[in-house]
Amino acid sequence: MAASKKAVLGPLVGAVDQGTSSTRFLVFNSRTAELLSHHQVEIKQEFPREGWVEQDPKEILHSVYECIEKTCEKLGQLNIGISNIKAIGVSNQRETTVVWDKITGEPLYNAVVWLDLRTQSTVESLSKRIPGNNNFVKSKTGLPLSTYFSAVKLRWLLDNVRKVQKAIEEKRALFGTIDSWLIWSLTGGVNGGVHCTDVTNASRTMLFNIHSLEWDKQLCEFFGIPMEILPHVRSSSEIYGLMKAGALEGVPISGCLGDQSAALVGQMCFQIGQAKNTYGTGCFLLCNTGHKCVFSDHGLLTTVAYKLGRDKPVYYALEGSVAIAGAVIRWLRDNLGIIKTSEEIEKLAKEVGTSYGCYFVPAFSGLYAPYWEPSARGIICGLTQFTNKCHIAFAALEAVCFQTREILDAMNRDCGIPLSHLQVDGGMTSNKILMQLQADILYIPVVKPLMPETTALGAAMAAGAAEGVDVWSLEPEDLSTVTMERFEPQINAEESEIRYSTWKKAVMKSMGWVTTQSPEGGDPSVFCSLPLGFFIVSSMAMLIGARYISGIP
């Protein structure tokens, strides 16, 4: 029985999906794209100061090994031999920055996460050095100068961490985003590990020329980054090296894509104009623009979508990036204690079916697309004595949908042809209330695959299609048909517009909370950067105080 089962399955491909909140390893059938088994481990985020977000690179690496081992055990319980796994792909949180010692293999500092805001003063000082009539950073990278991207995080590490400075002086330092750190470690680390990245991850560093597909000397000089610490840039689909340890020792690592590019591939958006929206820690809408770089007039990014082979052409995308999506649910769980598990949010929202005029702008890391406003901070407004945790839960889900509407509107204006429907994926898409809200707020159908793991699927497809592996065909006629679930708008267009316009008012109120100016007598940013909960609690305290003074029981 087991032998026949193995024979039917054929070649399998594994995928590491290393996200901001968790690490997963998933195994797919390369002929049918069926998910056979997976394992997931949640990753800690550290917040050492206001606006700082860090993770432990060694914890991330250990979580990858753990997920691989546990998934292989589960395959054994299904009578599926792990010798069928012919390749491994890597998908990762982008921009998150790691510097490590190539002699010892030890990280020289925690990973500085893409959400981190510590570099705002660095961004402001650098921006003064860009000529107003020649924004060479944006024209070469497709990116605005922002705390979001790796170059300024790396600049901060060089300026502030003595261990990093010393390692660079002694030619021991290596830089990489999470994909580089993982591939170097998994392929041997100090014993011949491969120091590389792919074009999609390189395009998020602000050091990479998206036209020539090379590290850019002018950009590296502008940010003061020594080019010798940068990884070698490869395509998204080729054999980088072999696994050197663990249950899958000897299996090639042959696919690498930043998580949002991986989801674009997993959603099979290979045609110009096809788009997808991924709901993870943040929210990311990508539209395939083909071989042409399209620059946005409405706050979107121009980025590399994929390059599926050394000799294959590069594809580009327009991207709308929202910093906080699933992270707002985690915040309600971990910071406010409104819910015990992330899944409870749907139950709370369902109890009321409305936010009752409450609006939540989760600008914990400022506002990304289309505003790029670092001074914004989170607010909850429209509170009354009737408001309870269920309304706040509903408002949190609405916030994710409103933010998606903003980047979709920008995408439609840039592309000129409005999307007729929205393809979605990511962990939050299992929330049916969220999906219905999204259809209502966009006023177009929302379509999601019944197998939601499209990010991992994209990494697996790239790995399986690599030259020398050749177990996954990306030819249109060979791609598996995906079963989809569809959500149609259920409210009228006028109601949708009223809700959206009120949300926009709330967004305006979230801006300008933080200033870096420190006039004599005190730093206003100490007040301005107080946590969101402070303002909620203070507002409630003032309300209670007013009732007491008025003699209202």
Side-chain angles (χ1 to χ4, degrees), residues 99-104 108 162-175 184 195 225-230:
V99 180
W100 67 95
D101 188 319
K102 66 182 176 184
I103 307 299
T104 66
L108 296 167
R162 180 59 192 145
K163 283 169 71 176
V164 172
Q165 296 163 355
K166 194 166 187 291
I168 286 177
E169 290 163 9
E170 297 173 1
K171 310 293 185 188
R172 292 183 287 109
L174 295 177
F175 153 77
W184 183 83
H195 186 217
I225 306 299
M227 294 184 78
E228 61 268 19
I229 72 173
L230 303 178

Side-chain angles (χ1 to χ4, degrees), residues 295-300 414:
F295 285 86
S296 172
D297 295 320
H298 301 97
L300 303 182
D414 278 324

Side-chain angles (χ1 to χ4, degrees), residues 355-359 380-389 391-392 536 539-540 543-544 547:
S355 65
Y356 204 79
C358 171
Y359 286 82
I380 299 177
C381 52
L383 297 173
T384 70
Q385 287 174 295
F386 184 72
T387 308
N388 61 35
K389 65 181 181 179
H391 299 115
I392 291 173
I536 302 169
S539 300
M540 295 304 291
L543 177 65
I544 293 165
R547 287 168 57 84

Side-chain angles (χ1 to χ4, degrees), residues 411-427:
M411 188 82 69
N412 287 339
R413 287 195 293 272
D414 278 324
C415 295
I417 304 170
L419 290 177
S420 59
H421 66 277
L422 182 65
Q423 289 177 235
V424 300
D425 59 77

